[in-house]
Amino acid sequence: MAMVSPSILAADLSCISSELKKVKNADFLHIDVMDGVFVPNITFGTPLMETLARLDTPPLDVHLMIVDASRYAEQYVELGASIVTVHAEAVTHLHRLVTRIKEKGARAFVSINPHPPVSSLEEILPVVDGVLVMTVNPGFTAQEFIDSASEKIKKLDVVRNQTGLGFSIAVDGGVTLDNAGVLVSDGADILVMGAAVFRDDSPEEVISKIKELRR
């Protein structure tokens, strides 16, 4: 069964409590942390995490799209993150950081952008809890899905099956009800969805349909 992680980047933050009610049946709530350096946008920091800690939310899925993620990853775990995703390109000592995130009690994911090959993750796959496949160039919500990213999902699924590794495969960017079934069939376990959930007339129904998808 597929899991869904609605991205709060697409929510109306002027009424965050009511927006969260729309996604109360989601598996996770995706938090995009951007610094305007690693990606061309600036979004959320620790104040949002502190706010969410006071509200009723699904488990928090934090995606650090920042340089020097090692400085901040543990702080996000301490603020309540259930998943912390970092980009391999933004971390000098990736194995060390992944280990620290897990020791703190969160699941550690590593993200792969559209351009690097799956083989670039070969050495870290035995250590991580999941891989987040970026199906758009990170930085903004409501971008068009990059079709070639589907091959990454398939390759990661093959690696997982051949090695017996238990990492999850998440997908982020341009995910909609129209392509969700194919992505799950390719091997995706967690679908990050922004506009397709928060800007739909019936977000609860979208989430329910995603959670019904099976390979």
Side-chain angles (χ1 to χ4, degrees):
M1 184 171 65
M3 292 182 282
V4 59
S5 185
S7 174
I8 202 168
L9 184 61
D12 182 354
L13 297 180
S14 68
C15 49
I16 189 169
S17 293
S18 59
E19 289 287 89
L20 290 173
K21 291 177 182 177
K22 298 178 181 178
V23 298
K24 61 183 178 182
N25 61 328
D27 299 283
F28 303 99
L29 181 67
H30 193 79
I31 316 296
D32 286 309
V33 179
M34 306 181 194
D35 62 1
V37 180
F38 183 69
V39 293
N41 196 8
I42 298 174
T43 56
F44 311 118
T46 54
L48 177 64
M49 292 291 291
E50 292 166 354
T51 297
L52 293 174
R54 299 192 296 268
L55 301 173
D56 184 18
T57 72
L60 302 180
D61 165 22
V62 175
H63 182 186
L64 298 180
M65 288 178 272
I66 61 177
V67 296
D68 200 10
S70 300
R71 290 183 59 190
Y72 302 101
E74 291 181 70
Q75 185 177 4
Y76 278 91
V77 178
E78 292 167 357
L79 288 169
S82 294
I83 296 174
V84 175
T85 300
V86 300
H87 283 254
E89 307 98 315
V91 179
T92 302
H93 302 290
L94 184 58
H95 187 285
R96 180 187 300 166
L97 180 57
V98 166
T99 301
R100 281 164 46 194
I101 291 170
K102 294 169 70 170
E103 288 174 348
K104 282 284 187 178
R107 298 172 68 192
F109 281 40
V110 172
S111 185
I112 182 168
N113 279 334
H115 65 280
V118 167
S119 59
S120 66
L121 299 179
E122 181 179 357
E123 299 298 328
I124 200 66
L125 287 179
V127 187
V128 298
D129 296 302
V131 176
L132 177 65
V133 178
M134 293 303 301
T135 49
V136 298
N137 289 298
F140 299 93
T141 190
Q143 294 188 70
E144 187 174 345
F145 184 90
I146 297 174
D147 291 333
S148 60
S150 291
E151 293 304 312
K152 281 192 172 68
I153 300 168
K154 293 176 184 176
K155 289 177 181 177
L156 283 165
D157 190 46
V158 168
V159 170
R160 181 169 61 179
N161 291 331
Q162 289 180 344
T163 60
L165 295 173
F167 61 84
S168 298
I169 300 173
V171 181
D172 184 1
V175 180
T176 67
L177 280 176
D178 292 333
N179 60 18
V182 173
L183 296 172
V184 173
S185 179
D186 289 342
D189 307 297
I190 304 170
L191 303 183
V192 177
M193 302 174 70
V197 171
F198 278 109
R199 299 176 190 175
D200 191 88
D201 292 335
S202 301
E204 298 92 341
E205 184 176 344
V206 173
I207 292 170
S208 295
K209 288 181 178 178
I210 295 297
K211 295 173 76 168
E212 292 171 357
L213 295 174
R214 291 173 172 79
R215 295 189 67 181

